[in-house]
Amino acid sequence: MTASVVRALGRVARDTAHPAVRAADPAGCRACGRGSTVLADRPDGIVVRHGEVVAKAHADGTDRAGHRVRLAVAAHPLLAGVLLPPLPAATAEVAGRPVTAWPYGTPVDPTDPDAAPWEQAGTLLARLHTLPLAELSEAVAETDAETETETDAVAGTGAAAGPGALARAGAGADGRPGLPDMRGPAKAARAVARMRAAGPHPAAVPVQRAWRHLPAWARGEARAPGPYALCHGDLHLGQLVRHPAPDGPWLLIDIDDLGLGDPAWDLARPAAWYAAGLLPPEAWLRFLGAYRSAHGPAVPAAPDADPWPRLDVAARALTVQTAALAIAKSAAEGRDPDDVELLMIDACARIADVATELSPEASS
């Protein structure tokens, strides 16, 4: 199945890059002479590049309505300079999975940690979090039919897909704009479920304990309490590219988890890495300082204000998610967790111990 999806995505990327030239040979291209390159092949997404275009097959079971709204948001001018905009995909679906197309951007170089764009990441998140939700919904509702038709082609499914998708989604029962929820907590819950499905593991005990001490919203069992912002939902350095390649400005990529939620979630993975000793203090402070300088709402604005009361829950949840995935992956590969994975598991043990000490039962 994966090989056939990869081949089909290569054709999608090629035909999107060269819509006037439908090359017969999937291994080559009469327009540019290039083949296609697999950039990612995971259950949650397969990504193939052809020239200056990448095509992505999203996960099986993707919520189609939410996906169309997220794609409409990514295409909206209010996101310009923040999120990489989509291209009209040559094909809507591959093997029952929704397909999107995007300009190719130069990713972060994992071999040069000193050049990691932490400041740019903080600034982009602040800009995302301060987008006017009412204006976004209103602007999408007022988009004319011609633009809607064009973006429907991007989504690849007719009626419910363009900028008008937000208007058709309407406001939620609680009066929130008609945007889907940010999927970060649901993703954390899936990581814990995956760890449990891998079978008993001694390292899973502190992870389970830390998970149980999280509030329901952080476990994906209830809606976050608000105030809400438009959130990325899965921020890490792999979610930034330079576009136009190779030296354009940094932009966020990946709409799969985009939605309304607590903006603290988008700062939580760097915060968790910092707390576990994986992210150097200077990198964390650069990231946090840039976010504050751009007026990000997730933490207090004052440079000397403590950010942790706002970040604590989300950072604990991301610590659990990372540790749970580490245990699941190491079990699947028949190995012990490595040193980095053990740092996150140990962090879960500390989280669980502190939560136990602070619980009402402990003080009685």
Side-chain angles (χ1 to χ4, degrees):
M1 173 64 78
T2 297
S4 64
V5 172
V6 167
R7 287 193 298 271
L9 281 180
R11 291 191 291 272
V12 173
R14 180 197 63 202
D15 292 345
T16 301
H18 314 297
V21 181
R22 302 289 178 174
D25 180 5
C29 177
R30 289 198 300 261
C32 68
R34 300 173 180 170
S36 298
T37 304
V38 178
L39 301 182
D41 186 354
R42 302 184 304 270
D44 62 345
I46 301 173
V47 182
V48 176
R49 176 188 179 188
H50 182 93
E52 299 308 310
V53 172
V54 298
K56 178 175 182 176
H58 297 260
D60 281 326
T62 294
D63 168 35
R64 298 304 182 96
H67 172 77
R68 289 192 292 267
V69 175
R70 290 181 173 100
L71 195 59
V73 170
H76 197 278
L78 284 172
L79 276 290
V82 178
L83 189 70
L84 188 71
L87 298 170
T91 300
E93 187 176 284
V94 167
R97 300 165 69 162
V99 170
T100 53
W102 308 84
Y104 174 75
T106 304
V108 175
D109 183 356
T111 67
D112 189 5
D114 291 337
W118 286 112
E119 293 97 330
Q120 293 88 340
T123 299
L124 288 170
L125 284 182
R127 291 180 61 190
L128 183 71
H129 294 167
T130 52
L131 284 172
L133 300 180
E135 183 179 343
L136 179 61
S137 296
E138 180 181 352
V140 168
E142 293 175 353
T143 303
D144 61 36
E146 180 181 354
T147 306
E148 179 171 340
T149 300
E150 292 173 357
T151 312
D152 285 346
V154 173
T157 59
L166 283 182
R168 288 188 289 273
D174 57 2
R176 302 188 322 156
L179 295 164
D181 286 336
M182 180 265 292
R183 296 175 64 245
K187 206 164 189 174
R190 287 199 303 274
V192 172
R194 182 175 168 186
M195 177 187 70
R196 290 169 176 162
H201 194 294
V205 174
V207 179
Q208 297 266 33
R209 289 176 56 220
W211 180 249
R212 287 195 298 269
H213 284 292
L214 290 170
W217 76 264
R219 300 195 304 267
E221 299 169 2
R223 179 163 284 166
Y228 301 110
L230 184 63
C231 300
H232 182 274
D234 188 28
L235 189 280
H236 53 80
L237 290 179
Q239 305 287 33
L240 289 98
V241 298
R242 284 188 179 274
H243 178 73
D247 299 317
W250 290 102
L251 296 171
L252 296 170
I253 61 171
D254 193 353
I255 62 168
D256 286 345
D257 302 308
L258 187 76
L260 291 183
D262 182 348
W265 194 275
D266 283 344
L267 280 67
R269 182 176 275 114
W273 289 349
Y274 165 65
L278 293 176
L279 183 66
E282 56 272 19
W284 165 248
L285 292 175
R286 282 163 34 212
F287 169 74
L288 183 64
Y291 182 82
R292 279 175 158 156
S293 294
H295 310 292
V299 295
D304 58 349
D306 184 2
W308 287 100
R310 283 287 292 119
L311 299 180
D312 175 65
V313 169
R316 285 190 283 136
L318 264 295
T319 302
V320 171
Q321 176 182 323
T322 306
L325 286 176
I327 292 170
K329 289 178 181 178
S330 63
E333 296 166 3
R335 60 173 177 82
D336 292 330
D338 62 29
D339 290 344
V340 171
E341 293 166 338
L342 285 173
L343 281 175
M344 301 308 293
I345 294 167
D346 290 345
C348 286
R350 293 194 297 273
I351 288 169
D353 289 344
V354 169
T356 300
E357 292 170 3
L358 296 177
S359 67
E361 292 83 359
S363 60
S364 60

